[in-house]
Amino acid sequence: MRLFKKILLKIHQVTGIALSLMFLVWFVSGIVLIFAGFPHASRQDRFLFLKPFSPSDFEHILPLPDTIIGSVELDKLNDTPVYRITAGKKKQQVFDAATLLPIDSFSEKLCKQEAERFLGCSTLKSVNIEQLDQWMPWSYYQPLLPIYKFYMNDSRHTVLYMSSKTGTIVQQTDRKSRWLARIGAIPHWIYFRSLRLNVQLWNQMVIWISSIGLLTCLSGIIAGFIRLNKRRKQKKTGSITPYKKFWYKWHHLVGLFFGVFVFTFLLSGLFSVVDFPKGGTSPKQTFEPRKVWDKGEKVAVNAGHSFSELWQVLDNKNGVRKLEWETSMGTPAWFVYYDNYQVPQVYVATSDSIFKQKSYSLEQVKKRTEKLFDGTSYAISVQSEFDNYYQPSGMFGRPLPVYKISWTDEAQNLIYIDPVTGKVVTSLTRNRKIHRWLYQGLHKFNFQFLVEHNWLRKILLFILSLGGITVSFSGVVLSWKWIKRKAKRYNA
């Protein structure tokens, strides 16, 4: 037992010396993240920047050939209607909608005009970048290169990034958001450009640091109770810690009170990059209802109708900013967007006509569920409030009410259907539910009560992070003192 204690204390000491500074950085940057994340270009602002279509636009738009594969969007770039065909993540082809000629790239002059129109100010300078920089550290943006980087002449020192391949704004930062990211998101998520672009290496680093950190924390918690046990044997009274030296005493005390939180924080951080294996080999365990539900018949864009026909059936012809060729309850349809990028009007296209689809009823959802999932055990209900699995999401719409379909099989699938579009808003399996609790729950306190009272959630995160800072800082001080002692002996 004595050997075990000695080994345990040595593990805590060695790993603590190695990682205490990293812990301190994580907790300090985590407090910043409570209030400000990584900068991004607002989806709503970019959407409202799109110019609305006019009647003449619809008269000249040609249908895409059947050979085009991928999701299809139709909007206007400056004054030109364009098709955007997305075949993979961020990979996009652009076609002039009036001629169907591909547009391989957009000039710097055009993008500069768009950038100045977007912010309503002039450009100080522009740089053509061939590699992703610190503010775009995600490899899936590679297909959008080269990118024009515009330094804008405004009071916020805004920098706009526009892809020469798509002619669209892909990132926006300003001086405040950049500085907050430097002390928040970047050190917390280890979002250093050269590392983050190497996704596999970045994942491995997060996994190793978190795993060693868990060992540090667990050994520290056990060591803390061992020291309490030692105090009882010596029949000491007064302080609950046997340590008299200031930093040792406070590291022990705050470690006892906040050690569990530090452990759960590290564990949940680990699960931000590690997922549960799907497991199971039976069809009931592996089938994905979301793919089944959203799958529809493949029909040429506009299903043989002209865009003039679509224009004629629109209830509101003013302010149409974007159209998406989608499926609605398995049927081809146009999603027509006006002033809200999250809520479209749905126009179903059959071989005979185009008509506006009303919100789907519970009976319609039940009928489709019976057809698609016959032989499975499920329940359908109308959900009018958010819960622990269905919560508001900043950049992505989460409508209410929704239809909730839950399965009682091994995978315990769960999907939420939007009554307006008839599509799955979000879906979960048993493993994804566990992951949700271990990451979103433990790391961000995304429990429904706290989400509804966000001020309380932030206060709790702030207080517990202060505890983590105290544990980490005292560990840094003790590590530095140990290093100085060793260096002094070495030099003696």
Side-chain angles (χ1 to χ4, degrees):
M1 188 64 181
R2 184 175 297 176
L3 179 62
F4 169 75
K5 292 179 180 179
K6 185 177 181 180
I7 293 173
L8 187 73
L9 292 171
K10 181 57 68 174
I11 289 173
H12 182 67
Q13 182 189 54
V14 172
T15 57
I17 290 171
L19 291 182
S20 57
L21 182 59
M22 187 73 233
F23 285 7
L24 179 62
V25 170
W26 269 343
F27 281 109
V28 172
S29 59
I31 288 180
V32 178
L33 272 176
I34 295 173
F35 306 99
F38 199 85
H40 66 273
S42 165
R43 292 186 67 185
Q44 180 72 356
D45 290 346
R46 285 182 290 166
F47 174 78
L48 294 176
F49 176 64
L50 296 172
K51 289 185 177 180
F53 288 99
S54 66
S56 61
D57 291 328
F58 275 80
E59 291 175 2
H60 295 95
I61 293 173
L62 298 176
L64 285 167
D66 298 346
T67 54
I68 296 296
I69 299 175
S71 62
V72 178
E73 295 182 1
L74 182 64
D75 60 40
K76 290 182 72 174
L77 180 59
N78 199 356
D79 291 316
T80 304
V82 294
Y83 283 111
R84 301 186 184 278
I85 317 300
T86 306
K89 198 167 186 179
K90 298 294 179 183
K91 188 175 181 180
Q92 196 176 100
Q93 288 181 292
V94 184
F95 294 86
D96 187 317
T99 64
L100 298 187
L101 293 175
I103 305 175
D104 295 325
S105 65
F106 294 88
S107 68
E108 182 177 344
K109 180 180 178 181
L110 173 63
C111 290
K112 180 180 178 182
Q113 291 174 351
E114 291 292 277
E116 291 177 344
R117 185 170 69 88
F118 180 73
L119 284 184
C121 65
S122 60
T123 303
L124 290 174
K125 69 173 181 176
S126 62
V127 179
N128 189 353
I129 61 175
E130 301 286 344
Q131 294 182 336
L132 300 176
D133 68 7
Q134 179 61 64
W135 306 109
M136 298 185 68
W138 305 287
S139 57
Y140 52 75
Y141 277 113
Q142 293 281 4
L144 300 182
L145 292 169
I147 287 174
Y148 302 119
K149 185 176 180 180
F150 296 109
Y151 295 82
M152 308 305 295
N153 186 20
D154 66 343
S155 59
R156 299 173 62 188
H157 299 267
T158 302
V159 178
L160 283 179
Y161 295 73
M162 296 190 69
S163 170
S164 64
K165 295 290 184 66
T166 65
T168 56
I169 297 167
V170 292
Q171 176 61 304
Q172 177 181 356
T173 71
D174 57 47
R175 183 164 58 183
K176 179 181 178 181
S177 65
R178 289 191 293 269
W179 275 109
L180 286 173
R182 288 186 182 109
I183 59 176
I186 292 174
H188 193 84
W189 298 333
I190 320 180
Y191 263 24
F192 303 104
R193 174 193 166 277
S194 57
L195 178 63
R196 186 61 183 87
L197 289 175
N198 189 335
V199 179
Q200 186 175 1
L201 178 61
W202 176 78
N203 269 279
Q204 289 299 317
M205 177 169 286
V206 175
I207 290 170
W208 276 105
I209 293 176
S210 299
S211 299
I212 297 173
L214 286 171
L215 181 62
T216 305
C217 188
L218 185 60
S219 61
I221 292 173
I222 298 173
F225 282 102
I226 288 175
R227 290 307 190 194
L228 286 179
N229 187 45
K230 179 180 178 181
R231 172 185 164 271
R232 284 196 297 269
K233 286 182 178 179
Q234 295 174 351
K235 296 182 180 180
K236 292 185 178 181
T237 58
S239 175
I240 64 173
T241 175
Y243 296 107
K244 294 182 178 180
K245 291 184 178 181
F246 181 85
W247 288 110
Y248 281 96
K249 178 168 67 175
W250 280 104
H251 186 70
H252 186 208
L253 289 173
V254 294
L256 285 173
F257 284 102
F258 292 100
V260 172
F261 166 71
V262 176
F263 181 84
T264 58
F265 172 81
L266 290 167
L267 180 66
S268 56
L270 175 63
F271 279 103
S272 68
V273 295
V274 174
D275 204 352
F276 277 88
K278 290 185 177 180
T281 56
S282 70
K284 288 184 177 181
Q285 289 177 306
T286 57
F287 97 103
E288 298 183 46
R290 178 172 197 157
K291 292 183 179 179
V292 177
W293 184 274
D294 282 342
K295 187 176 181 180
E297 55 181 310
K298 293 185 178 180
V299 179
V301 174
N302 229 20
H305 300 281
S306 69
F307 279 89
S308 294
E309 291 178 71
L310 174 61
W311 178 265
Q312 293 302 318
V313 299
L314 293 179
D315 280 356
N316 181 6
K317 296 178 174 57
N318 297 317
V320 177
R321 296 180 185 276
K322 187 174 76 169
L323 295 91
E324 291 181 352
W325 183 242
E326 275 283 1
T327 58
S328 177
M329 295 277 277
T331 304
W334 280 111
F335 288 6
V336 182
Y337 293 85
Y338 291 86
D339 290 331
N340 190 332
Y341 74 94
Q342 297 179 335
V343 182
Q345 292 184 9
V346 178
Y347 286 83
V348 172
T350 67
S351 57
D352 300 323
S353 64
I354 303 176
F355 62 90
K356 184 178 180 181
Q357 175 65 53
K358 297 179 179 179
S359 293
Y360 292 100
S361 67
L362 180 60
E363 290 303 315
Q364 287 174 298
V365 172
K366 285 182 177 179
K367 185 176 180 180
R368 179 167 171 77
T369 307
E370 291 172 1
K371 178 182 177 182
L372 294 177
F373 305 111
D374 185 33
T376 64
S377 177
Y378 57 83
I380 305 177
S381 61
V382 179
Q383 182 164 314
S384 300
E385 297 178 348
F386 292 110
D387 62 17
N388 281 317
Y389 294 119
Y390 186 74
Q391 294 182 343
S393 177
M395 295 179 67
F396 302 97
R398 292 288 170 86
L400 285 174
V402 289
Y403 299 121
K404 176 182 175 181
I405 308 176
S406 54
W407 279 261
T408 57
D409 56 18
E410 294 94 329
Q412 297 181 16
N413 289 294
L414 182 65
I415 61 176
Y416 296 87
I417 310 297
D418 182 358
V420 175
T421 64
K423 294 184 73 68
V424 176
V425 181
T426 187
S427 64
L428 296 100
T429 62
R430 178 178 59 85
N431 286 348
R432 292 304 300 170
K433 291 176 184 176
I434 295 173
H435 183 271
R436 177 257 178 277
W437 288 112
L438 287 176
Y439 174 50
Q440 296 287 348
L442 294 180
H443 207 75
K444 300 181 179 180
F445 290 2
N446 278 3
F447 306 106
Q448 185 53 31
F449 176 79
L450 293 178
V451 170
E452 292 175 353
H453 302 82
N454 197 41
W455 61 271
L456 178 59
R457 185 184 72 89
K458 289 184 176 181
I459 288 175
L460 286 174
L461 283 172
F462 184 80
I463 292 173
L464 293 174
S465 295
L466 285 179
I469 287 174
T470 308
V471 176
S472 305
F473 183 74
S474 59
V476 170
V477 173
L478 292 174
S479 298
W480 176 244
K481 288 179 176 292
W482 182 88
I483 292 171
K484 285 203 303 182
R485 286 200 304 272
K486 291 296 181 181
K488 187 175 181 180
R489 291 177 186 174
Y490 178 80
N491 295 324

